[in-house]
Amino acid sequence: MLNQKIEEKWKWILIPMFIVFEVVIDNFVMQHIYRLFFNPTDHFLLYINLYKIVSIIVICFLNYLLIKQKIFFKPSDKKIGLVSLLVVCLIVVAFCITSKNFWIALNIGSLAALSEELMFRGVILAFTLKLMINKSSSQWRTILALIISSLLFGAVHYSNLSLQSFSATTFQVIHAAAFGMILGAVYIKSGTIIAPMALHFVFDFFFAIIGGLPKADYTPLPNSEWIELIIYVLVYGIIALSIVIHKPSNNKLLPKLKKI
């Protein structure tokens, strides 16, 4: 609605508005409402489920109200890549079915992938891309839109400061931003939000299988892990850019954005 009332050059303001409203509603307004009925610390699994479900509703509502960005679920004609990714997801899930953390990992992985991909790839990346390629479809514009959306994805993880130290949260922020590059590149290449959702699910599912529910830990991060982070960022960045740059004519998302 608001998207249709403002001039093209001012539409960038909709992205920070969208993020601020979503963060305020989910992390401040709803937090007070939850505490009226239960203690989130004592019922963390219930809390995280409510948090993600409400987040999905808020994202859809704000997208309708502010941005009206279409989210693309339908795969392209060449579905073999998506099918292969989904098969890998099923194999990973099947191999972990006997784990004591299986149902927790399935729960966390599914809800996190759905809510975060809807927001950061489905809405923010697509809308940023649409603004960037409005006048030119050059590769650098696509890459810049990918970087912007990934940095925003990483920055939002500072909301986890209540559960961990600043150094650990900063590590997570940078790692999430780098991994977000891959997720965004997969959406650009495939043209369907299902692909980054599946990849995001496998990633979160795997870590939840190992660690179970997140626990508060305020221990500062050792210096050795920062070296690992540099390697992660470099590897993720190379993979993401390779996906986008390789055969750019096969980036399925861009033609879909130009049609709307």
Side-chain angles (χ1 to χ4, degrees), residues 85-159:
L85 179 59
L86 294 177
V87 168
V88 169
C89 292
L90 289 174
I91 291 172
V92 171
V93 171
F95 270 106
C96 297
I97 199 167
T98 57
S99 170
K100 64 177 182 178
N101 293 325
F102 176 78
W103 293 109
I104 291 173
L106 193 65
N107 188 324
I108 291 175
S110 301
L111 289 175
L114 182 58
S115 61
E116 292 176 12
E117 292 311 303
L118 282 175
M119 179 169 177
F120 288 98
R121 259 58 66 180
V123 178
I124 293 176
L125 172 58
F127 188 68
T128 305
L129 264 173
K130 190 164 62 174
L131 294 177
M132 291 294 293
I133 66 174
N134 186 37
K135 296 181 180 179
S136 171
S137 298
S138 64
Q139 279 287 79
W140 78 266
R141 285 177 173 263
T142 301
I143 293 170
L144 183 57
L146 176 61
I147 292 172
I148 290 170
S149 64
S150 300
L151 289 174
L152 292 172
F153 174 59
V156 166
H157 284 77
Y158 270 119
S159 61

Side-chain angles (χ1 to χ4, degrees), residues 28-179:
F28 294 97
V29 176
M30 293 307 301
Q31 297 297 324
H32 292 292
I33 295 175
Y34 297 145
R35 288 187 174 88
L36 292 175
F37 300 97
F38 64 92
N39 187 333
T41 305
D42 296 335
H43 303 277
F44 189 75
L45 187 58
L46 171 62
Y47 162 72
I48 202 70
N49 274 270
L50 284 175
Y51 179 89
K52 291 298 182 182
I53 291 170
V54 170
S55 180
I56 292 168
I57 296 170
V58 171
I59 290 164
C60 293
F61 175 72
L62 289 176
N63 183 40
Y64 171 77
L65 195 65
L66 297 176
I67 295 179
K68 296 191 79 67
Q69 174 59 51
K70 182 178 180 180
I71 299 172
F72 302 98
F73 286 89
K74 186 178 179 181
S76 62
D77 295 334
K78 296 180 180 179
K79 301 177 183 178
I80 187 166
L82 178 61
V83 171
S84 300
L85 179 59
L86 294 177
V87 168
V88 169
C89 292
L90 289 174
I91 291 172
V92 171
V93 171
F95 270 106
C96 297
I97 199 167
T98 57
S99 170
K100 64 177 182 178
N101 293 325
F102 176 78
W103 293 109
I104 291 173
L106 193 65
N107 188 324
I108 291 175
S110 301
L111 289 175
L114 182 58
S115 61
E116 292 176 12
E117 292 311 303
L118 282 175
M119 179 169 177
F120 288 98
R121 259 58 66 180
V123 178
I124 293 176
L125 172 58
F127 188 68
T128 305
L129 264 173
K130 190 164 62 174
L131 294 177
M132 291 294 293
I133 66 174
N134 186 37
K135 296 181 180 179
S136 171
S137 298
S138 64
Q139 279 287 79
W140 78 266
R141 285 177 173 263
T142 301
I143 293 170
L144 183 57
L146 176 61
I147 292 172
I148 290 170
S149 64
S150 300
L151 289 174
L152 292 172
F153 174 59
V156 166
H157 284 77
Y158 270 119
S159 61
N160 293 331
L161 274 170
S162 60
L163 291 173
Q164 55 198 13
S165 66
F166 179 79
S167 61
T169 305
T170 300
F171 181 99
Q172 185 183 31
V173 165
I174 297 171
H175 185 272
F179 186 59

